[in-house]
Amino acid sequence: MEHHEKTDLSSAFLLNFIFTIIELIGALLTNSVAILANVAHDIGDNFTLALTWYLEKVSEKGRTDSLSYGYKRFSLLGALINNVILIVSSFFIVIE
């Protein structure tokens, strides 16, 4: 992964996290359940961004005796986890 892509991922996480905190404060000050529900959604986004960011860092490790390809596939694991979360969330939304 190139350097600017790592920076983009960390920037996206940081901006989303800051926005979530601001939105949470606004929801608590206005007693808005709708905004609070969006905060819950943003927390899920923060989780997936943090997980992807972490697994991208892990995927940069070199090869070992037990992992001949190294940790490169961990970035794919992050993408798989994110997709499963999106599909399961979509399924529950459709049911509702």
Side-chain angles (χ1 to χ4, degrees):
M1 178 182 269
E2 295 179 26
H3 176 69
H4 66 87
E5 291 173 350
K6 287 185 236 174
T7 305
D8 291 346
L9 192 54
S10 61
S11 297
F13 172 76
L14 186 61
L15 287 171
N16 197 32
F17 184 75
I18 291 169
F19 183 74
T20 301
I21 297 300
I22 292 169
E23 197 172 26
L24 176 62
I25 292 168
L28 294 175
L29 289 175
T30 61
N31 291 327
S32 173
V33 176
I35 297 174
L36 199 56
N38 196 45
V39 169
H41 169 240
D42 288 342
I43 289 171
D45 291 344
N46 285 321
F47 172 74
T48 57
L49 280 169
L51 180 66
T52 302
W53 187 17
Y54 172 74
L55 290 175
E56 282 294 329
K57 285 185 177 187
V58 170
S59 72
E60 295 172 358
K61 292 182 183 179
R63 56 190 291 181
T64 64
D65 291 336
S66 62
L67 298 170
S68 59
Y69 286 104
Y71 291 81
K72 296 281 184 201
R73 293 183 180 160
F74 275 78
S75 62
L76 292 175
L77 179 63
L80 177 66
I81 291 170
N82 286 337
N83 284 323
V84 168
I85 290 171
L86 286 173
I87 290 170
V88 169
S89 301
S90 299
F91 178 73
F92 283 115
I93 289 170
V94 168
I95 287 175
E96 288 299 317

